[in-house]
Amino acid sequence: RIALPSEILARSGHAAKLTYAVSETTHRLASIADASGELLRLVRDSSEVKLLLPPFDDKPLSRFVMKLSGGRVSEIVLPVPELASWRLTYETARGINCIKSVGTPLGGSETLEYLDGGHAYPGSTGRPNLPRVTRHTIVPGPGLAAQETTYTYTTENFIGNGSSINWQDDGLDQLYKVDYTYDYGSVASHVLDGKVVRTEKYTFNRFHLMTEEETRQGRCVKTVSTTYHALNTDFDNQPANFQLPRSVQTRWSIDGEPSRHRTETQISEF
């Protein structure tokens, strides 16, 4: 059995209703409607998916077409006379199909690379590591300079590598089973003309909440540190507000000049 949302209610009293179509062994969204009628209809076949706006019996107001190849989206055609589109290519990284490049309607492109050892699972699962992006290159358009960002990661990760848990295929977030302090993170480095001009370091806790964001550009440093209402105990014993911030401290400083800094702290109680 599969549980799917059939109605989404807003505080205002408005509602959106969702209907589904059975396709082979799965259920797929077929339409979205509100009190005024059907807002969106999805029409599928083996080669494409059409997203239609009303009126449906006449010429649709807009028609977006997702072309499929090998079960993957290869192109998204926009509702313009030129049939401009987003174009996607894929590659297999560590046994998983990953997006390799995206072509934009205006002639730009984005490229993703997966060049490191990937995210390791905790324990001895025998699973291959998950691929992860190590370089993202954007070319906004013909003749424009490329924008490059590289990524590095901690050994600890969002699936719990290095923790005491053993991976289980039980549909649950495995990191929530860690009952002690556990952090993981990544660093994004923005590159211009072959040199790193800005870095952004992100740190998350075992509940996937960002606890620190550090941005460096030149000698300027901005650090945002967040503590939450979470307790140093297992998930079952967390308070209802454990995901909400208790305090957010923002600090601006100059690297190498400890006397030059400014700190602001915001404290919240729920």
Side-chain angles (χ1 to χ4, degrees):
R1 286 189 171 186
I2 299 177
L4 297 169
S6 59
E7 189 173 22
I8 302 173
L9 296 171
R11 292 181 178 180
S12 62
H14 296 87
K17 295 184 178 181
L18 291 76
T19 59
Y20 300 86
V22 178
S23 177
E24 298 177 351
T25 59
T26 188
H27 292 70
R28 295 177 177 176
L29 184 65
S31 68
I32 300 176
D34 66 2
S36 65
E38 192 174 7
L39 303 174
L40 176 69
R41 180 181 298 176
L42 292 86
V43 180
R44 292 180 171 85
D45 59 34
S46 60
S47 62
E48 64 183 24
V49 179
K50 297 177 183 177
L51 288 80
L52 309 178
L53 300 181
F56 301 107
D57 296 331
D58 196 358
K59 184 178 179 180
L61 178 64
S62 292
R63 179 195 302 263
F64 297 83
V65 179
M66 293 193 299
K67 296 186 178 181
L68 308 177
S69 177
R72 298 187 293 268
V73 176
S74 59
E75 188 175 7
I76 303 174
V77 183
L78 304 180
V80 294
E82 299 80 8
L83 297 179
S85 66
W86 296 83
R87 299 162 305 282
L88 294 82
T89 65
Y90 301 82
E91 68 173 308
T92 300
R94 302 186 174 278
I96 296 177
N97 289 318
C98 301
I99 293 178
K100 179 180 181 180
S101 66
V102 178
T104 74
L106 297 178
S109 66
E110 298 189 35
T111 304
L112 301 171
E113 298 179 43
Y114 311 82
L115 300 177
D116 69 359
H119 287 302
Y121 285 84
S124 302
T125 65
R127 288 171 169 264
N129 293 356
L130 285 176
R132 58 194 182 190
V133 174
T134 55
R135 180 179 286 109
H136 179 202
T137 304
I138 301 174
V139 179
L144 299 178
Q147 304 167 12
E148 179 182 328
T149 305
T150 61
Y151 298 90
T152 57
Y153 303 85
T154 59
T155 301
E156 297 76 17
N157 56 39
F158 70 98
I159 51 179
N161 183 50
S163 70
S164 59
I165 61 174
N166 291 314
W167 182 268
Q168 294 177 299
D169 287 319
D170 54 11
L172 300 177
D173 189 321
Q174 301 298 295
L175 201 51
Y176 271 51
K177 299 177 182 180
V178 175
D179 58 2
Y180 56 86
T181 300
Y182 179 97
D183 296 316
Y184 66 93
S186 62
V187 176
S189 300
H190 300 272
V191 180
L192 180 65
D193 295 329
K195 296 181 179 180
V196 175
V197 294
R198 186 173 77 251
T199 61
E200 296 158 355
K201 180 181 179 182
Y202 304 97
T203 303
F204 302 86
N205 65 16
R206 59 192 169 111
F207 299 122
H208 311 294
L209 303 172
M210 186 184 297
T211 57
E212 187 173 274
E213 177 184 2
E214 180 188 87
T215 303
R216 289 177 174 266
Q217 184 164 347
R219 296 175 58 209
C220 299
V221 183
K222 177 185 176 183
T223 305
V224 181
S225 302
T226 306
T227 60
Y228 297 86
H229 288 272
L231 304 177
N232 194 25
T233 185
D234 58 34
F235 170 68
D236 291 337
N237 291 310
Q238 292 297 328
N241 61 351
F242 80 100
Q243 292 176 306
L244 299 178
R246 179 187 297 275
S247 69
V248 179
Q249 182 187 85
T250 304
R251 176 185 171 90
W252 295 267
S253 61
I254 303 295
D255 200 14
E257 298 185 40
S259 63
R260 297 184 63 187
H261 66 85
R262 173 184 173 85
T263 302
E264 294 180 0
T265 302
Q266 176 181 330
I267 299 176
S268 304
E269 294 291 339
F270 300 91

